[in-house]
Amino acid sequence: MGEFELINHYFAAAPCAQGGEGVALGIGDDCALLDLPPGEQLAVSTDTLVAGVHFPAVCDPLLLGQRSLAVAASDLAAMGATAIGFTLALTLPDVGPDWLAAYADGLGRMAHRCRMSLIGGDTTRGPLSITVTVFGRVPAGQALRRSGARPGDLLCVGGSLGKAAGALPLVLGEREAPAAQAEPLLAHYWSPMPQLTLGALLRGKATAALDISDGLLADCGHIAKASGVALEVNLAQVPVSPALEAFLGREAALQAALTGGDDYVLAFTLPPEALAPLAGLGCIEVHIIGRVLEGQGVTLRDSQGQDITPVQRGYQHFRERP
Ligand code: ADP
Ligand code: MG
């Protein structure tokens, strides 16, 4: 199958590529065209997943399809943007029709869940690598940035942390676990649900936000730096799922929640009075885990208030391992 046949069969003909709200022109021309309502800004973000770095080279293509869109769409959630569409740049070794069909199916399932359309892409041959660029819209001036946290704000997260990091030994086949433990962890690793609803609800309420991709403490460091404030995290308030704790034990589960990557859960700051209307909405999960203070950096405190901040805070490409 040639490049154009492949694009047409697996991607242009997919249900998620048939257009949707905001898509004036989809796959097939030199560019896609998006319509933005008056008074809205375009939010754009790109993520690349490389085989052997971001996922095992041998894995279920359906799960990979879900994950490759989810991690990119999570950045739209973090900005409080409403998803419109995405492009897919695929570099493929010799893969068969079964692989492509399953990959496109997984991608389509996540696109459906996020209500976004596949609007274009690029297809090349080479070592497996997937780049997804997502496009969203947000009322002008209302995007959630990293820079607005203020002393007195609460620090919150949108769900339990550490599940994806905890799943890694299962993903890599290094360990096994009973289904009750393995399933929720693997589900979160392969199919993290971008918190688009939460992000949109936080517009006009949160003073700063991001999605946790490199570990809670490392990512809180980004908010602290961009906002020129200090963040304090209370260990006892950090939410850890029962499955993760059963699998790793309390100590290692907390370690995964604090420094493990790939959570794609939102972390945000907001004044205490802005939390009440959110807490009243049964449909979303919000946990207070700390607060914003004057100063700089991120401090982790135990239940006695002792500073127990670890040295290693998260994952960074290109950094020498200690
Ligand atoms: P060009 O040569 O003008 O860059 P291409 O031949 O690469 O265009 O692509 C033809 C059309 O197919 C374009 O609309 C492009 O966006 C789309 N496309 C290519 N690869 C993919 C893909 N993997 N998924 C979705 N659309 C794709
Ligand atoms: Mg062209």
Side-chain angles (χ1 to χ4, degrees), residues 107-132:
L107 193 78
R109 289 183 196 204
M110 186 53 69
H112 182 73
R113 288 171 78 178
C114 296
R115 294 194 202 160
M116 60 197 312
S117 307
L118 176 59
I119 58 168
D122 196 22
T123 308
T124 52
R125 193 169 295 275
L128 181 59
S129 165
I130 302 164
T131 297
V132 173

Side-chain angles (χ1 to χ4, degrees), residues 65-88:
Q66 293 185 161
R67 178 170 157 77
S68 53
L69 178 56
V71 303
S74 176
D75 286 316
L76 293 178
M79 296 298 281
T82 301
I84 302 173
F86 64 101
T87 60
L88 170 70

